Amino acid sequence: MSNHRSRRSFIAHAAAGFSTFALSRVAQAQPTTEPPPRVLQVEHGVAERTGVEVNARQIPSFEPRDRSRVRFGSLQYRSGLVLTSPYRGFGGLSGIRLDAKGERFLAISDQGGWFTGSIRYAGGKMVALDDVEAAPMLNAEGRPITEKRLWYDTESLARDGNLVYVGLERVNQIMRYDFAKGGTSARGELLPTPPALRKLPTNKGLEAMVAVPKGQPLAGTLIAFSERGLDADGNLTAFLIGGPSPGQFSVRRTDKFDISDATLLPSGDLLILERKFSWFTGINIRIRAIPLKSIAPNALVDGPALFAADLGHEVDNMEGIDAHVTAEGETVLTLVSDDNFSMLQRTLLLQFTLVE
């Protein structure tokens, strides 16, 4: 979630090169000509497919106060990058999914854009991004979804093979894309969702999604988490969409943390990335592990914190998490931050090994 009212401006008026009279004359002279495309409703939206230059600066240690430290809770720091780009639309990264090798990635910005590319490694450490490309998310008509008012807050990403799901927080809707039909050029379709999901808070709603694969409990289910949609007891609301037992459940909320993303491990543990912010303590993040088998309709689930960090570490507004297993059998977590397109924030890509 980003504080769009305070940190982002919107395009209020479309630029026009002709007067109303001139437009009417053109319309009369060329009645079969298609109308000009509408302007994207977001400042940093991706208007068309394009290659993107991304610069990467390595982060040698996760805790600048103690550069020799590599262990943080149940995680061991592997490497990190600070990412910058001259491309105006690069930033606002709110979700990421990697291939089985942890190399190719699919990411989304929260202004309706896809980003694809590869992570380059040297000695097991991330050193750069290659072949980065941006593309607009398309609706069923093949137009950028951001042409529609409020359809820009793309905060959550889930993938099940060629099926890719994107959650829009501002309107609390889910788009489904079949990447077998053109990859990021595929047209999206609205996924039917529970009425209660669409009633989540406008700017604290749909924030994280996980698609449960075959072989796991709840296989075929799309699990959707709210950022801070609360139940009657003040816990975080979540939904089971499709699968063997659709319904609603809750995640115990503690210490005022909100959910920003989630990923599923082969072990059957669901990892939830959480964060909180205050003007006194700044940004705090943590990762909790919740057994997938404990999730069921009407359940209240909880789990231990594996990791916690604050501004004393190399963190920012961490919004995305994914996991992959290396050829050596190590489980690697990848985290990405949303810089809110602000000069005061950074786009970080961090990797840790799960050691417990």
Side-chain angles (χ1 to χ4, degrees):
M1 188 282 299
S2 305
N3 190 346
H4 295 275
R5 292 186 178 179
S6 62
R7 293 181 180 171
R8 302 183 184 173
S9 61
F10 297 89
I11 299 175
H13 302 284
F18 301 98
S19 66
T20 303
F21 172 77
L23 282 172
S24 66
R25 292 292 299 272
V26 170
Q28 292 173 5
Q30 300 179 1
T32 61
T33 299
E34 293 184 1
R38 288 168 288 179
V39 175
L40 302 182
Q41 299 296 313
V42 291
E43 183 179 359
H44 297 278
V46 178
E48 60 185 2
R49 181 180 301 279
T50 183
V52 176
E53 175 189 347
V54 177
N55 303 306
R57 177 174 61 82
Q58 295 187 58
I59 303 173
S61 57
F62 183 62
E63 184 176 359
R65 298 167 297 189
D66 184 357
R67 297 183 180 277
S68 65
R69 183 183 175 193
V70 295
R71 182 69 179 269
F72 302 90
S74 297
L75 304 187
Q76 181 171 306
Y77 182 63
R78 293 173 68 94
S79 63
L81 300 174
V82 180
L83 304 176
T84 58
S85 174
Y87 178 64
R88 183 173 176 80
F90 183 80
L93 301 182
S94 53
I96 189 168
R97 292 292 179 256
L98 282 72
D99 67 6
K101 295 182 178 180
E103 296 175 354
R104 292 289 303 174
F105 68 84
L106 171 69
I108 58 172
S109 80
D110 57 13
Q111 298 212 347
W114 302 109
F115 288 92
T116 59
S118 296
I119 301 174
R120 191 198 315 163
Y121 294 89
K125 298 180 181 294
M126 299 184 295
V127 295
L129 298 189
D130 296 325
D131 305 319
V132 180
E133 184 177 83
M137 293 181 191
L138 304 180
N139 58 23
E141 291 73 41
R143 303 294 307 163
I145 63 170
T146 49
E147 289 184 349
K148 187 174 181 179
R149 183 175 178 270
L150 298 182
W151 281 64
Y152 60 86
D153 209 354
T154 42
E155 291 283 351
S156 49
L157 175 67
R159 186 164 190 172
D160 183 11
N162 283 320
L163 293 180
V164 177
Y165 302 87
V166 176
L168 290 91
E169 184 184 37
R170 190 71 51 161
V171 293
N172 290 312
Q173 297 275 11
I174 299 174
M175 297 289 287
R176 177 172 54 199
Y177 293 86
D178 185 352
F179 270 34
K181 300 178 180 178
T184 55
S185 296
R187 298 184 179 191
E189 60 178 353
L190 274 176
L191 185 73
T193 54
L197 187 150
R198 295 192 294 275
K199 295 179 181 178
L200 288 171
T202 299
N203 208 27
K204 298 289 183 181
L206 190 56
E207 187 75 16
M209 294 191 300
V210 170
V212 183
K214 294 179 181 179
Q216 293 274 22
L218 301 174
T221 303
L222 182 67
I223 308 179
F225 299 88
S226 69
E227 180 183 13
R228 200 194 298 169
L230 304 180
D231 64 14
D233 297 318
N235 295 307
L236 299 158
T237 304
F239 300 86
L240 302 168
I241 302 172
S245 53
Q248 184 172 326
F249 69 100
S250 296
V251 178
R252 188 179 300 280
R253 186 177 189 235
T254 60
D255 300 325
K256 298 183 179 180
F257 275 93
D258 299 327
I259 293 175
S260 59
D261 202 8
T263 189
L264 183 61
L265 300 181
S267 64
D269 276 340
L270 185 72
L271 300 187
I272 295 180
L273 175 64
E274 299 178 305
R275 63 172 171 201
K276 67 178 178 179
F277 172 80
S278 79
W279 293 110
F280 299 102
T281 62
I283 294 173
N284 287 259
I285 67 168
R286 74 179 181 187
I287 297 174
R288 272 196 291 170
I290 294 175
L292 184 61
K293 62 183 180 182
S294 69
I295 298 176
N298 303 314
L300 173 61
V301 300
D302 197 359
L306 304 181
F307 167 82
D310 56 26
L311 286 179
H313 306 88
E314 293 282 5
V315 299
D316 207 287
N317 179 31
M318 311 310 296
E319 288 221 357
I321 186 172
D322 198 23
H324 73 277
V325 179
T326 68
E328 296 74 30
E330 295 180 319
T331 298
V332 175
L333 305 184
T334 301
L335 281 67
V336 70
S337 69
D338 173 1
D339 68 348
N340 290 311
F341 298 99
S342 168
M343 294 182 63
L344 301 178
Q345 294 180 261
R346 301 177 296 169
T347 298
L348 304 182
L349 192 66
L350 307 173
Q351 285 193 339
F352 299 85
T353 303
L354 180 63
V355 292
E356 288 184 359

